[in-house]
């Protein structure tokens, strides 16, 4: 357990019940909100450097202005003993990263597709507001009501200012980063679609597109290598899914689909009659 907060700690209107997750710069707790009389997720920045604080404040500003059923709303935020915090709804379904295919190949395919559909809808809403997320990955998705995906973590989200912008761009997690962002170009909604496709590959096969041994190798693959055939990794996946993902992972952003929802809808249709391995029960 972290030393930042402990079970039973109270501050403001919140009482800590459990530690839900730990990241490089933040921890997320299950807490009881005395005002709302419900359980919430409490995110606390544990690293104090300027970049972490900038990202945390950016998340508060951007996510605080969004209203969509597949985006976690911010209930409150503030600073406590020099630590920034924010509260958002608690989703009992947990982190969507837990749905990534197991080494055995077992997967809850219907749940995965519902999560991807929800996140795709959230991204298209975001893009309609001329914003891009830039850190789309399974661990930044939650499982909401009816297994619908919920998008979280807007720390490096920013305005979509067009291809000629010279504004600095934050690069999210390398295994999911679009080649144009890695090359220093201003991001467009197509960058989020690329990251969503990388996430879909990880959900379906257990690994992102380029599971290589070094960061340099992964970066080079994003820039130069053809996307993998997921039907080769998992024979139960029809070849049609390879073609759909290849378009979403095109090196040129303009060659990708016009929305995030379209490729997920096509993948869902292609997998309608698929028969993946079932998950083995825990012993």
């Amino acid at each position: 357990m972290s030393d930042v907060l402990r079970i039973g700690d109270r501050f403001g209107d919140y009482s800590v019940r459990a530690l839900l997750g730990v990241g490089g710069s933040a921890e997320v707790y299950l807490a009881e909100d005395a005002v709302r009389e419900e359980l919430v997720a409490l995110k606390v920045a544990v690293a104090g450097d300027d970049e972490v604080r900038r990202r945390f404040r950016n998340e508060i500003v951007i996510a605080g202005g969004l209203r969509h059923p597949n985006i976690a709303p911010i209930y409150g935020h503030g600073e406590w003993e020099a630590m920034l915090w924010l509260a958002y709804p608690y989703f009992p379904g947990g982190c969507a990263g837990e749905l990534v295919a197991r080494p055995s190949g077992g997967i809850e395919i219907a749940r995965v597709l519902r999560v991807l559909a929800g996140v795709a809808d959230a991204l298209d809403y975001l893009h309609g507001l001329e914003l891009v997320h830039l850190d789309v990955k399974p661990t930044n998705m939650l499982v909401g009501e009816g297994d619908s995906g919920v998008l979280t973590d807007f720390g490096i989200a920013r305005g979509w200012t067009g291809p000629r912008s010279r504004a600095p761009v934050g690069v999210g997690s390398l295994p999911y980063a679009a080649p144009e962002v890695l090359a220093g170009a201003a991001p467009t909604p197509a960058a989020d679609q690329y990251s969503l496709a990388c996430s879909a590959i990880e959900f379906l096969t257990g690994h992102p597109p380029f599971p290589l041994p070094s960061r340099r190798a992964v970066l080079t693959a994003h820039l130069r290598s053809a996307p993998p055939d997921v039907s080769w990794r998992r024979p139960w996946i029809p070849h049609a899914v390879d073609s759909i993902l290849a378009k979403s992972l095109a090196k040129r952003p303009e060659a990708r689909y016009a929305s995030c929802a379209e490729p997920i809808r096509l993948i869902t249709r292609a997998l309608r009659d698929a028969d993946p391995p079932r998950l083995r029960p825990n012993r």
Side-chain angles (χ1 to χ4, degrees), residues 58 62 123 126-127 129-136 156-172 176-195 251-254 256:
N58 188 66
I62 290 185
L123 288 170
L126 195 68
H127 299 156
L129 299 177
E130 298 188 342
L131 297 168
V132 284
H133 186 277
L134 296 179
D135 201 13
V136 178
I156 61 171
R158 54 168 274 167
W160 169 36
T161 52
R164 291 188 175 87
S165 171
R166 296 293 182 183
V169 178
V171 175
Y176 317 91
E180 66 273 17
V181 175
L182 294 172
T188 68
D192 283 341
Q193 183 185 146
Y194 185 99
S195 299
K251 301 305 182 190
R252 294 184 298 110
E254 62 272 18
R256 300 172 198 152

Coordinates of all heavy atoms in Angstrom, one line a residue, residues 58 62 123 126-127 129-136 156-172 176-195 251-254 256:
N58 N -4.2 19.9 -16.7 CA -4.7 19.8 -18.1 C -5.9 18.9 -18.1 O -7.0 19.2 -18.7 CB -3.7 19.4 -19.0 CG -4.1 19.4 -20.5 OD1 -4.3 20.5 -21.0 ND2 -4.2 18.3 -21.1
I62 N -9.7 20.0 -19.3 CA -10.3 19.4 -20.5 C -11.5 18.5 -20.1 O -12.6 18.6 -20.6 CB -9.3 18.7 -21.3 CG1 -8.4 19.8 -22.0 CG2 -9.9 17.9 -22.4 CD1 -7.4 19.2 -23.0
L123 N -14.4 9.1 -28.5 CA -13.3 9.8 -29.2 C -13.9 10.7 -30.4 O -13.5 11.8 -30.6 CB -12.4 8.8 -29.8 CG -11.4 8.2 -28.8 CD1 -10.7 7.0 -29.5 CD2 -10.4 9.2 -28.3
L126 N -15.1 13.8 -28.8 CA -14.0 14.6 -28.5 C -13.5 15.3 -29.8 O -13.2 16.6 -29.8 CB -12.9 13.8 -27.9 CG -11.7 14.5 -27.2 CD1 -12.2 15.1 -25.9 CD2 -10.6 13.4 -26.9
H127 N -13.4 14.6 -30.9 CA -12.9 15.2 -32.1 C -13.9 16.2 -32.7 O -13.4 17.2 -33.3 CB -12.7 14.1 -33.1 CG -11.7 13.1 -32.7 ND1 -11.6 11.8 -33.2 CD2 -10.6 13.1 -31.8 CE1 -10.6 11.1 -32.6 NE2 -10.0 11.9 -31.7
L129 N -15.3 18.3 -31.0 CA -15.0 19.5 -30.2 C -13.6 20.1 -30.5 O -13.1 21.0 -29.8 CB -15.1 19.2 -28.7 CG -16.4 18.8 -28.2 CD1 -16.4 18.5 -26.7 CD2 -17.5 19.9 -28.4
E130 N -13.0 19.5 -31.6 CA -11.6 19.9 -32.0 C -10.6 19.6 -30.9 O -9.7 20.4 -30.7 CB -11.6 21.3 -32.5 CG -12.5 21.6 -33.7 CD -12.3 23.0 -34.3 OE1 -11.8 23.8 -33.6 OE2 -12.7 23.2 -35.4
L131 N -10.8 18.5 -30.3 CA -9.8 18.0 -29.3 C -9.3 16.6 -29.7 O -10.0 15.9 -30.3 CB -10.5 17.9 -27.9 CG -11.0 19.2 -27.2 CD1 -11.8 18.9 -26.0 CD2 -9.8 20.1 -26.9
V132 N -8.1 16.3 -29.2 CA -7.5 15.0 -29.4 C -7.0 14.5 -28.1 O -6.6 15.2 -27.2 CB -6.4 14.9 -30.5 CG1 -6.9 15.0 -31.9 CG2 -5.4 16.0 -30.2
H133 N -7.1 13.2 -27.9 CA -6.8 12.6 -26.6 C -5.3 12.3 -26.4 O -4.6 12.6 -25.4 CB -7.6 11.3 -26.4 CG -7.4 10.6 -25.0 ND1 -6.4 9.8 -24.7 CD2 -8.2 10.7 -23.9 CE1 -6.5 9.4 -23.4 NE2 -7.6 9.9 -23.0
L134 N -4.7 11.6 -27.4 CA -3.3 11.3 -27.6 C -2.7 10.3 -26.6 O -1.5 10.1 -26.6 CB -2.5 12.6 -27.4 CG -2.7 13.6 -28.5 CD1 -1.9 14.9 -28.3 CD2 -2.4 13.1 -29.9
D135 N -3.6 9.6 -25.8 CA -3.0 8.5 -24.9 C -4.1 7.4 -24.8 O -4.3 6.9 -23.7 CB -2.7 9.1 -23.6 CG -1.7 8.2 -22.8 OD1 -1.1 7.3 -23.5 OD2 -1.5 8.4 -21.6
V136 N -4.6 7.0 -26.0 CA -5.6 6.0 -26.0 C -4.9 4.6 -25.9 O -4.0 4.3 -26.6 CB -6.4 6.0 -27.3 CG1 -7.4 4.9 -27.4 CG2 -7.1 7.4 -27.5
I156 N -2.7 14.6 -21.5 CA -2.0 15.2 -22.6 C -2.9 15.6 -23.7 O -2.5 15.9 -24.8 CB -0.8 14.4 -23.1 CG1 -1.3 13.0 -23.6 CG2 0.3 14.2 -22.0 CD1 -0.2 12.3 -24.4
A157 N -4.2 15.5 -23.5 CA -5.2 15.9 -24.5 C -5.0 17.4 -24.8 O -4.6 18.2 -24.0 CB -6.6 15.7 -24.0
R158 N -5.3 17.8 -26.0 CA -5.1 19.1 -26.4 C -6.0 19.5 -27.6 O -6.7 18.6 -28.2 CB -3.7 19.4 -26.9 CG -3.2 18.4 -27.9 CD -1.9 18.7 -28.5 NE -2.1 19.7 -29.6 CZ -1.1 20.4 -30.2 NH1 0.1 20.3 -29.8 NH2 -1.4 21.1 -31.2
G159 N -6.0 20.7 -28.0 CA -6.8 21.1 -29.1 C -6.3 20.6 -30.4 O -5.0 20.5 -30.6
W160 N -7.1 20.2 -31.3 CA -6.7 19.8 -32.6 C -6.6 21.1 -33.5 O -7.6 21.7 -33.9 CB -7.8 18.8 -33.2 CG -7.6 18.6 -34.7 CD1 -6.4 18.4 -35.3 CD2 -8.6 18.3 -35.6 NE1 -6.6 18.2 -36.7 CE2 -8.0 18.1 -36.9 CE3 -10.0 18.3 -35.6 CZ2 -8.7 17.9 -38.0 CZ3 -10.7 18.1 -36.7 CH2 -10.1 17.8 -38.0
T161 N -5.4 21.5 -33.7 CA -5.1 22.8 -34.3 C -4.7 22.8 -35.7 O -4.3 23.8 -36.3 CB -4.1 23.6 -33.5 OG1 -2.9 22.8 -33.3 CG2 -4.6 24.0 -32.1
G162 N -4.7 21.6 -36.3 CA -4.4 21.4 -37.7 C -2.9 21.1 -38.0 O -2.1 21.3 -37.2
P163 N -2.7 20.6 -39.2 CA -1.4 20.1 -39.6 C -0.2 21.1 -39.6 O 0.9 20.7 -39.5 CB -1.6 19.5 -40.9 CG -2.8 20.2 -41.5 CD -3.6 20.5 -40.3
R164 N -0.5 22.4 -39.7 CA 0.5 23.4 -39.7 C 0.9 23.9 -38.3 O 1.8 24.8 -38.2 CB 0.1 24.6 -40.6 CG 0.0 24.2 -42.1 CD -0.2 25.5 -42.9 NE -0.2 25.1 -44.4 CZ -1.3 24.8 -45.0 NH1 -2.4 24.6 -44.4 NH2 -1.2 24.5 -46.3
S165 N 0.3 23.4 -37.3 CA 0.6 24.0 -36.0 C 2.0 23.6 -35.5 O 2.5 22.5 -35.8 CB -0.4 23.4 -34.9 OG 0.0 23.7 -33.6
R166 N 2.6 24.6 -34.8 CA 4.0 24.3 -34.3 C 3.9 24.2 -32.8 O 5.0 24.1 -32.1 CB 4.9 25.5 -34.6 CG 5.1 25.7 -36.1 CD 5.9 24.6 -36.7 NE 6.2 24.7 -38.1 CZ 6.9 23.9 -38.8 NH1 7.3 22.7 -38.3 NH2 7.1 24.1 -40.1
A167 N 2.7 24.1 -32.2 CA 2.6 23.9 -30.8 C 3.2 22.6 -30.3 O 3.1 21.6 -31.1 CB 1.1 24.0 -30.3
P168 N 3.8 22.5 -29.2 CA 4.4 21.3 -28.7 C 3.4 20.2 -28.5 O 2.3 20.5 -28.0 CB 5.2 21.6 -27.4 CG 4.5 22.9 -27.0 CD 4.1 23.6 -28.2
V169 N 3.7 19.0 -28.8 CA 2.8 17.9 -28.7 C 3.3 16.8 -27.7 O 4.5 16.4 -27.8 CB 2.5 17.2 -30.0 CG1 1.6 16.0 -29.9 CG2 2.0 18.2 -31.0
G170 N 2.5 16.4 -26.7 CA 2.9 15.3 -25.8 C 2.7 14.0 -26.5 O 1.7 13.8 -27.2
V171 N 3.6 13.1 -26.4 CA 3.5 11.8 -26.9 C 3.1 10.8 -25.8 O 3.7 10.8 -24.7 CB 4.9 11.3 -27.5 CG1 4.7 9.8 -28.0 CG2 5.3 12.2 -28.7
G172 N 2.0 10.1 -26.0 CA 1.5 9.2 -25.0 C 2.3 7.9 -24.9 O 3.6 8.0 -25.0
Y176 N 1.4 2.5 -28.6 CA 0.1 2.9 -29.2 C 0.2 4.2 -30.0 O -0.8 4.7 -30.5 CB -1.0 3.0 -28.1 CG -1.0 1.9 -27.1 CD1 -0.3 2.0 -25.9 CD2 -1.7 0.7 -27.3 CE1 -0.2 1.0 -25.0 CE2 -1.6 -0.3 -26.4 CZ -0.9 -0.2 -25.2 OH -0.8 -1.2 -24.3
A177 N 1.4 4.8 -30.1 CA 1.6 6.1 -30.6 C 1.5 6.1 -32.1 O 2.2 5.3 -32.8 CB 2.9 6.7 -30.1
A178 N 0.8 7.1 -32.7 CA 0.7 7.2 -34.2 C 2.1 7.7 -34.8 O 2.8 8.5 -34.2 CB -0.4 8.2 -34.5
P179 N 2.4 7.2 -35.9 CA 3.7 7.6 -36.5 C 3.9 9.1 -36.8 O 5.0 9.6 -36.6 CB 3.7 6.8 -37.8 CG 2.3 6.4 -38.1 CD 1.7 6.3 -36.8
E180 N 2.8 9.7 -37.1 CA 3.0 11.2 -37.4 C 3.2 12.0 -36.1 O 4.0 13.0 -36.1 CB 1.7 11.7 -38.1 CG 0.4 11.7 -37.3 CD -0.3 10.4 -37.4 OE1 0.3 9.4 -37.8 OE2 -1.5 10.4 -37.1
V181 N 2.7 11.5 -35.0 CA 3.0 12.1 -33.7 C 4.4 11.9 -33.3 O 5.1 12.8 -32.9 CB 2.0 11.6 -32.6 CG1 2.4 12.2 -31.3 CG2 0.6 12.0 -33.0
L182 N 4.9 10.6 -33.5 CA 6.3 10.3 -33.2 C 7.2 11.1 -34.1 O 8.4 11.4 -33.7 CB 6.5 8.8 -33.4 CG 5.8 7.9 -32.4 CD1 5.9 6.4 -32.9 CD2 6.3 8.1 -31.0
A183 N 6.8 11.4 -35.3 CA 7.6 12.2 -36.2 C 7.6 13.7 -35.9 O 8.3 14.5 -36.6 CB 7.2 11.9 -37.6
G184 N 6.8 14.1 -35.0 CA 6.7 15.5 -34.6 C 5.7 16.4 -35.3 O 5.6 17.6 -35.1
A185 N 4.8 15.7 -36.0 CA 3.7 16.5 -36.7 C 2.6 16.8 -35.7 O 2.4 16.1 -34.7 CB 3.1 15.7 -37.9
A186 N 1.8 17.8 -36.0 CA 0.7 18.1 -35.1 C -0.4 17.0 -35.3 O -0.6 16.5 -36.4 CB 0.1 19.5 -35.5
P187 N -1.0 16.6 -34.2 CA -1.9 15.5 -34.2 C -3.3 15.9 -34.8 O -3.7 17.1 -34.7 CB -2.1 15.1 -32.8 CG -1.8 16.4 -32.0 CD -0.8 17.1 -32.8
T188 N -4.0 15.0 -35.4 CA -5.3 15.1 -35.8 C -6.1 14.0 -35.2 O -5.5 13.1 -34.6 CB -5.4 15.1 -37.4 OG1 -5.1 13.8 -37.8 CG2 -4.5 16.1 -38.0
P189 N -7.5 13.9 -35.4 CA -8.2 12.8 -34.9 C -7.7 11.4 -35.4 O -7.9 10.4 -34.7 CB -9.6 13.1 -35.4 CG -9.7 14.6 -35.4 CD -8.3 15.0 -35.9
A190 N -7.1 11.4 -36.5 CA -6.6 10.1 -37.1 C -5.5 9.5 -36.1 O -5.3 8.3 -36.1 CB -6.0 10.4 -38.4
A191 N -4.8 10.4 -35.3 CA -3.8 9.8 -34.4 C -4.5 9.0 -33.3 O -4.0 7.9 -32.9 CB -3.0 11.0 -33.8
D192 N -5.7 9.5 -32.8 CA -6.4 8.7 -31.8 C -7.0 7.4 -32.4 O -7.0 6.4 -31.8 CB -7.6 9.5 -31.3 CG -7.1 10.6 -30.3 OD1 -6.0 10.4 -29.7 OD2 -7.9 11.5 -30.0
Q193 N -7.4 7.5 -33.7 CA -7.9 6.2 -34.4 C -6.7 5.2 -34.5 O -7.0 4.0 -34.2 CB -8.4 6.5 -35.8 CG -9.0 5.3 -36.5 CD -9.4 5.6 -37.9 OE1 -9.3 4.7 -38.8 NE2 -9.8 6.8 -38.2
Y194 N -5.5 5.6 -34.8 CA -4.4 4.7 -34.8 C -4.2 4.1 -33.5 O -4.0 2.8 -33.4 CB -3.1 5.5 -35.2 CG -1.9 4.7 -35.4 CD1 -1.5 4.3 -36.7 CD2 -1.1 4.3 -34.4 CE1 -0.4 3.5 -36.9 CE2 0.1 3.5 -34.6 CZ 0.4 3.2 -35.8 OH 1.6 2.4 -36.0
S195 N -4.2 4.9 -32.4 CA -4.0 4.3 -31.0 C -5.2 3.4 -30.7 O -4.9 2.4 -30.0 CB -3.9 5.5 -30.0 OG -2.8 6.3 -30.3
K251 N 0.1 4.5 -42.5 CA 1.1 5.5 -42.1 C 0.7 6.9 -42.3 O 1.1 7.8 -41.6 CB 2.5 5.2 -42.8 CG 3.0 3.8 -42.6 CD 3.2 3.4 -41.1 CE 3.8 2.1 -40.9 NZ 3.8 1.6 -39.5
R252 N -0.1 7.1 -43.4 CA -0.6 8.5 -43.7 C -1.9 8.7 -43.0 O -2.9 7.9 -43.2 CB -0.7 8.6 -45.2 CG 0.6 8.6 -45.9 CD 0.4 8.9 -47.4 NE -0.4 7.9 -48.1 CZ -1.6 8.1 -48.5 NH1 -2.2 9.3 -48.4 NH2 -2.3 7.1 -49.1
P253 N -2.1 9.7 -42.2 CA -3.3 9.9 -41.4 C -4.5 10.0 -42.3 O -5.6 9.5 -42.0 CB -3.1 11.2 -40.7 CG -1.6 11.3 -40.6 CD -1.0 10.7 -41.8
E254 N -4.4 10.6 -43.5 CA -5.5 10.8 -44.4 C -6.0 9.5 -45.0 O -7.1 9.5 -45.6 CB -5.1 11.8 -45.5 CG -4.0 11.4 -46.4 CD -2.6 11.8 -45.9 OE1 -2.5 12.1 -44.7 OE2 -1.7 11.8 -46.7
R256 N -6.6 6.8 -43.3 CA -7.4 6.1 -42.3 C -8.9 6.4 -42.5 O -9.3 7.2 -43.3 CB -6.9 6.4 -40.9 CG -5.5 6.1 -40.7 CD -4.9 6.6 -39.4 NE -3.4 6.6 -39.4 CZ -2.6 7.3 -38.8 NH1 -3.1 8.3 -37.9 NH2 -1.3 7.3 -39.0

